[in-house]
Short mmCIF file of all heavy atoms in Angstrom, two decimals:
data_model
loop_
_atom_site.label_atom_id
_atom_site.label_comp_id
_atom_site.label_asym_id
_atom_site.label_seq_id
_atom_site.Cartn_x
_atom_site.Cartn_y
_atom_site.Cartn_z
N PHE A 5 -15.61 104.46 8.86
CA PHE A 5 -16.39 105.41 9.66
C PHE A 5 -16.06 106.84 9.24
O PHE A 5 -14.90 107.15 8.96
CB PHE A 5 -16.03 105.23 11.15
CG PHE A 5 -16.74 106.18 12.07
CD1 PHE A 5 -18.01 105.91 12.54
CD2 PHE A 5 -16.13 107.35 12.48
CE1 PHE A 5 -18.67 106.78 13.40
CE2 PHE A 5 -16.78 108.24 13.34
CZ PHE A 5 -18.05 107.95 13.80
N LEU A 6 -17.08 107.69 9.23
CA LEU A 6 -16.89 109.12 8.98
C LEU A 6 -17.99 109.88 9.71
O LEU A 6 -19.16 109.49 9.65
CB LEU A 6 -16.97 109.43 7.48
CG LEU A 6 -16.68 110.89 7.11
CD1 LEU A 6 -15.82 110.95 5.85
CD2 LEU A 6 -17.95 111.68 6.91
N TYR A 7 -17.59 110.93 10.43
CA TYR A 7 -18.57 111.76 11.13
C TYR A 7 -18.10 113.21 11.12
O TYR A 7 -17.04 113.52 11.66
CB TYR A 7 -18.77 111.27 12.56
CG TYR A 7 -19.79 112.05 13.36
CD1 TYR A 7 -20.99 112.49 12.79
CD2 TYR A 7 -19.58 112.33 14.68
CE1 TYR A 7 -21.93 113.20 13.52
CE2 TYR A 7 -20.52 113.03 15.43
CZ TYR A 7 -21.69 113.47 14.86
OH TYR A 7 -22.62 114.17 15.58
N LEU A 8 -18.89 114.06 10.48
CA LEU A 8 -18.65 115.49 10.45
C LEU A 8 -19.79 116.13 11.25
O LEU A 8 -20.89 116.30 10.72
CB LEU A 8 -18.64 116.01 9.01
CG LEU A 8 -18.51 117.51 8.80
CD1 LEU A 8 -17.18 118.03 9.33
CD2 LEU A 8 -18.64 117.85 7.33
N PRO A 9 -19.56 116.44 12.53
CA PRO A 9 -20.64 117.01 13.34
C PRO A 9 -21.18 118.30 12.74
O PRO A 9 -20.42 119.15 12.28
CB PRO A 9 -19.97 117.28 14.70
CG PRO A 9 -18.79 116.37 14.73
CD PRO A 9 -18.33 116.26 13.29
N TRP A 10 -22.50 118.42 12.74
CA TRP A 10 -23.19 119.57 12.13
C TRP A 10 -24.04 120.26 13.19
O TRP A 10 -24.79 119.61 13.91
CB TRP A 10 -24.08 119.09 10.99
CG TRP A 10 -24.72 120.20 10.24
CD1 TRP A 10 -25.95 120.75 10.47
CD2 TRP A 10 -24.19 120.92 9.13
NE1 TRP A 10 -26.20 121.76 9.57
CE2 TRP A 10 -25.12 121.88 8.73
CE3 TRP A 10 -22.98 120.82 8.43
CZ2 TRP A 10 -24.92 122.75 7.68
CZ3 TRP A 10 -22.77 121.68 7.38
CH2 TRP A 10 -23.73 122.63 7.00
N SER A 11 -23.92 121.57 13.27
CA SER A 11 -24.76 122.36 14.17
C SER A 11 -25.98 122.84 13.39
O SER A 11 -25.86 123.75 12.56
CB SER A 11 -23.98 123.55 14.73
OG SER A 11 -24.85 124.41 15.42
N LYS A 12 -27.13 122.22 13.64
CA LYS A 12 -28.34 122.64 12.95
C LYS A 12 -28.73 124.05 13.36
O LYS A 12 -29.26 124.81 12.55
CB LYS A 12 -29.48 121.66 13.24
CG LYS A 12 -29.25 120.31 12.59
CD LYS A 12 -30.39 119.36 12.86
CE LYS A 12 -30.10 118.01 12.23
NZ LYS A 12 -31.16 117.04 12.48
N LYS A 13 -28.44 124.40 14.60
CA LYS A 13 -28.76 125.73 15.11
C LYS A 13 -27.99 126.81 14.34
O LYS A 13 -28.53 127.84 13.97
CB LYS A 13 -28.44 125.80 16.59
CG LYS A 13 -28.77 127.11 17.25
CD LYS A 13 -28.43 127.07 18.73
CE LYS A 13 -28.70 128.42 19.38
NZ LYS A 13 -28.33 128.40 20.80
N GLU A 14 -26.71 126.56 14.11
CA GLU A 14 -25.87 127.54 13.42
C GLU A 14 -25.82 127.33 11.91
O GLU A 14 -25.34 128.18 11.17
CB GLU A 14 -24.45 127.50 14.00
CG GLU A 14 -24.39 127.93 15.45
CD GLU A 14 -22.98 127.92 16.00
OE1 GLU A 14 -22.03 128.08 15.21
OE2 GLU A 14 -22.84 127.76 17.22
N GLY A 15 -26.28 126.18 11.44
CA GLY A 15 -26.30 125.90 10.00
C GLY A 15 -24.92 125.71 9.39
O GLY A 15 -24.69 126.06 8.24
N LYS A 16 -24.02 125.11 10.17
CA LYS A 16 -22.66 124.84 9.66
C LYS A 16 -22.06 123.67 10.42
O LYS A 16 -22.56 123.25 11.45
CB LYS A 16 -21.79 126.08 9.81
CG LYS A 16 -21.56 126.51 11.24
CD LYS A 16 -20.68 127.75 11.32
CE LYS A 16 -20.38 128.09 12.77
NZ LYS A 16 -19.41 129.16 12.87
N ASN A 17 -20.96 123.14 9.86
CA ASN A 17 -20.30 122.04 10.54
C ASN A 17 -19.44 122.59 11.68
O ASN A 17 -19.21 123.79 11.78
CB ASN A 17 -19.49 121.18 9.56
CG ASN A 17 -18.26 121.87 9.03
OD1 ASN A 17 -17.41 122.37 9.76
ND2 ASN A 17 -18.14 121.90 7.71
N GLU A 18 -18.97 121.68 12.52
CA GLU A 18 -18.18 122.07 13.69
C GLU A 18 -16.70 122.30 13.37
O GLU A 18 -15.92 122.64 14.25
CB GLU A 18 -18.31 121.01 14.79
CG GLU A 18 -19.73 120.81 15.28
CD GLU A 18 -20.25 121.97 16.12
OE1 GLU A 18 -19.44 122.72 16.68
OE2 GLU A 18 -21.48 122.12 16.20
N GLY A 19 -16.30 122.10 12.12
CA GLY A 19 -14.93 122.38 11.71
C GLY A 19 -13.97 121.21 11.77
O GLY A 19 -12.81 121.33 11.41
N TYR A 20 -14.47 120.06 12.24
CA TYR A 20 -13.61 118.87 12.30
C TYR A 20 -14.42 117.64 11.92
O TYR A 20 -15.64 117.65 11.96
CB TYR A 20 -13.01 118.68 13.70
CG TYR A 20 -14.02 118.26 14.74
CD1 TYR A 20 -14.25 116.91 14.99
CD2 TYR A 20 -14.77 119.20 15.44
CE1 TYR A 20 -15.20 116.51 15.93
CE2 TYR A 20 -15.71 118.80 16.37
CZ TYR A 20 -15.91 117.46 16.62
OH TYR A 20 -16.85 117.07 17.54
N CYS A 21 -13.70 116.59 11.57
CA CYS A 21 -14.33 115.33 11.19
C CYS A 21 -13.52 114.20 11.81
O CYS A 21 -12.30 114.31 11.94
CB CYS A 21 -14.31 115.20 9.67
SG CYS A 21 -15.00 113.66 9.06
N ILE A 22 -14.21 113.14 12.19
CA ILE A 22 -13.54 111.93 12.66
C ILE A 22 -13.68 110.89 11.56
O ILE A 22 -14.78 110.65 11.07
CB ILE A 22 -14.17 111.41 13.97
CG1 ILE A 22 -14.07 112.47 15.06
CG2 ILE A 22 -13.50 110.11 14.40
CD1 ILE A 22 -14.84 112.14 16.31
N LEU A 23 -12.55 110.30 11.17
CA LEU A 23 -12.54 109.27 10.14
C LEU A 23 -11.81 108.06 10.69
O LEU A 23 -10.84 108.21 11.43
CB LEU A 23 -11.78 109.74 8.89
CG LEU A 23 -12.23 111.02 8.23
CD1 LEU A 23 -11.30 112.13 8.61
CD2 LEU A 23 -12.26 110.84 6.76
N SER A 24 -12.24 106.88 10.30
CA SER A 24 -11.52 105.68 10.68
C SER A 24 -11.32 104.82 9.44
O SER A 24 -12.21 104.73 8.59
CB SER A 24 -12.30 104.90 11.74
OG SER A 24 -11.49 103.85 12.25
N PHE A 25 -10.16 104.22 9.36
CA PHE A 25 -9.77 103.45 8.18
C PHE A 25 -9.68 101.98 8.53
O PHE A 25 -9.44 101.60 9.68
CB PHE A 25 -8.43 103.96 7.65
CG PHE A 25 -8.52 105.37 7.14
CD1 PHE A 25 -8.39 106.45 8.00
CD2 PHE A 25 -8.79 105.63 5.81
CE1 PHE A 25 -8.52 107.75 7.55
CE2 PHE A 25 -8.92 106.93 5.35
CZ PHE A 25 -8.78 107.99 6.22
N VAL A 26 -9.84 101.15 7.52
CA VAL A 26 -9.76 99.71 7.68
C VAL A 26 -8.34 99.31 8.06
O VAL A 26 -8.13 98.44 8.89
CB VAL A 26 -10.20 99.00 6.38
CG1 VAL A 26 -10.05 97.50 6.50
CG2 VAL A 26 -11.62 99.38 6.01
N ASP A 27 -7.36 100.00 7.51
CA ASP A 27 -5.95 99.65 7.69
C ASP A 27 -5.15 100.89 8.06
O ASP A 27 -5.41 101.98 7.55
CB ASP A 27 -5.45 99.06 6.37
CG ASP A 27 -4.05 98.51 6.46
OD1 ASP A 27 -3.10 99.30 6.37
OD2 ASP A 27 -3.92 97.28 6.62
N GLY A 28 -4.16 100.74 8.91
CA GLY A 28 -3.31 101.84 9.33
C GLY A 28 -2.54 102.48 8.18
O GLY A 28 -2.26 103.69 8.20
N ARG A 29 -2.20 101.70 7.17
CA ARG A 29 -1.49 102.27 6.01
C ARG A 29 -2.39 103.25 5.25
O ARG A 29 -1.93 104.26 4.73
CB ARG A 29 -1.00 101.16 5.08
CG ARG A 29 0.13 100.34 5.71
CD ARG A 29 0.45 99.16 4.86
NE ARG A 29 -0.73 98.28 4.92
CZ ARG A 29 -0.73 97.01 4.62
NH1 ARG A 29 0.36 96.45 4.16
NH2 ARG A 29 -1.82 96.28 4.73
N ASP A 30 -3.68 102.95 5.20
CA ASP A 30 -4.63 103.86 4.55
C ASP A 30 -4.74 105.17 5.34
O ASP A 30 -4.84 106.24 4.75
CB ASP A 30 -6.00 103.22 4.41
CG ASP A 30 -5.97 102.00 3.50
OD1 ASP A 30 -5.17 102.00 2.53
OD2 ASP A 30 -6.73 101.05 3.76
N ALA A 31 -4.71 105.08 6.66
CA ALA A 31 -4.73 106.28 7.50
C ALA A 31 -3.48 107.13 7.25
O ALA A 31 -3.56 108.36 7.16
CB ALA A 31 -4.84 105.90 8.98
N GLN A 32 -2.35 106.47 7.11
CA GLN A 32 -1.10 107.19 6.82
C GLN A 32 -1.17 107.85 5.44
O GLN A 32 -0.78 109.01 5.28
CB GLN A 32 0.08 106.22 6.89
CG GLN A 32 1.42 106.91 6.73
CD GLN A 32 2.57 105.94 6.89
OE1 GLN A 32 2.40 104.72 6.84
NE2 GLN A 32 3.76 106.47 7.08
N ASP A 33 -1.68 107.15 4.46
CA ASP A 33 -1.84 107.73 3.12
C ASP A 33 -2.80 108.92 3.14
O ASP A 33 -2.58 109.92 2.46
CB ASP A 33 -2.36 106.67 2.12
CG ASP A 33 -1.33 105.60 1.82
OD1 ASP A 33 -0.12 105.81 2.10
OD2 ASP A 33 -1.73 104.54 1.30
N PHE A 34 -3.86 108.82 3.94
CA PHE A 34 -4.80 109.93 4.09
C PHE A 34 -4.09 111.15 4.67
O PHE A 34 -4.27 112.27 4.20
CB PHE A 34 -5.98 109.52 4.99
CG PHE A 34 -6.99 110.62 5.19
CD1 PHE A 34 -8.02 110.79 4.29
CD2 PHE A 34 -6.90 111.48 6.26
CE1 PHE A 34 -8.96 111.79 4.46
CE2 PHE A 34 -7.83 112.50 6.45
CZ PHE A 34 -8.85 112.65 5.55
N PHE A 35 -3.28 110.93 5.69
CA PHE A 35 -2.51 112.02 6.29
C PHE A 35 -1.66 112.71 5.23
O PHE A 35 -1.66 113.94 5.11
CB PHE A 35 -1.61 111.49 7.42
CG PHE A 35 -0.71 112.53 8.01
CD1 PHE A 35 -1.16 113.33 9.06
CD2 PHE A 35 0.58 112.72 7.53
CE1 PHE A 35 -0.34 114.31 9.61
CE2 PHE A 35 1.40 113.69 8.06
CZ PHE A 35 0.94 114.49 9.10
N LEU A 36 -0.95 111.94 4.43
CA LEU A 36 -0.08 112.51 3.40
C LEU A 36 -0.86 113.26 2.33
O LEU A 36 -0.40 114.28 1.80
CB LEU A 36 0.77 111.40 2.75
CG LEU A 36 1.76 110.71 3.69
CD1 LEU A 36 2.38 109.50 3.01
CD2 LEU A 36 2.84 111.68 4.16
N GLU A 37 -2.07 112.79 2.01
CA GLU A 37 -2.89 113.43 0.98
C GLU A 37 -3.55 114.72 1.46
O GLU A 37 -3.65 115.68 0.72
CB GLU A 37 -3.97 112.44 0.50
CG GLU A 37 -4.98 113.01 -0.47
CD GLU A 37 -4.42 113.36 -1.83
OE1 GLU A 37 -3.41 112.77 -2.24
OE2 GLU A 37 -5.00 114.25 -2.49
N PHE A 38 -4.00 114.75 2.71
CA PHE A 38 -4.82 115.87 3.18
C PHE A 38 -4.09 116.88 4.06
O PHE A 38 -4.47 118.05 4.07
CB PHE A 38 -6.06 115.34 3.91
CG PHE A 38 -7.12 114.84 2.98
CD1 PHE A 38 -7.08 113.55 2.48
CD2 PHE A 38 -8.17 115.65 2.58
CE1 PHE A 38 -8.05 113.07 1.62
CE2 PHE A 38 -9.15 115.20 1.72
CZ PHE A 38 -9.09 113.91 1.24
N TYR A 39 -3.08 116.47 4.81
CA TYR A 39 -2.42 117.40 5.73
C TYR A 39 -1.79 118.58 4.97
O TYR A 39 -1.04 118.41 4.03
CB TYR A 39 -1.33 116.69 6.55
CG TYR A 39 -0.69 117.60 7.56
CD1 TYR A 39 -1.29 117.84 8.78
CD2 TYR A 39 0.52 118.25 7.29
CE1 TYR A 39 -0.73 118.69 9.72
CE2 TYR A 39 1.09 119.10 8.21
CZ TYR A 39 0.45 119.32 9.42
OH TYR A 39 1.01 120.17 10.35
N GLY A 40 -2.15 119.78 5.39
CA GLY A 40 -1.60 120.99 4.77
C GLY A 40 -2.25 121.38 3.45
O GLY A 40 -1.89 122.38 2.86
#
């Protein structure tokens, strides 16, 4: 799952995204890759 809410009125995204992973280890790897 991936959802990046978009404001059509403002023409930009809302600044956050919700992602869901098949496995918790993949979520942990994502954290290590993207955080910071």
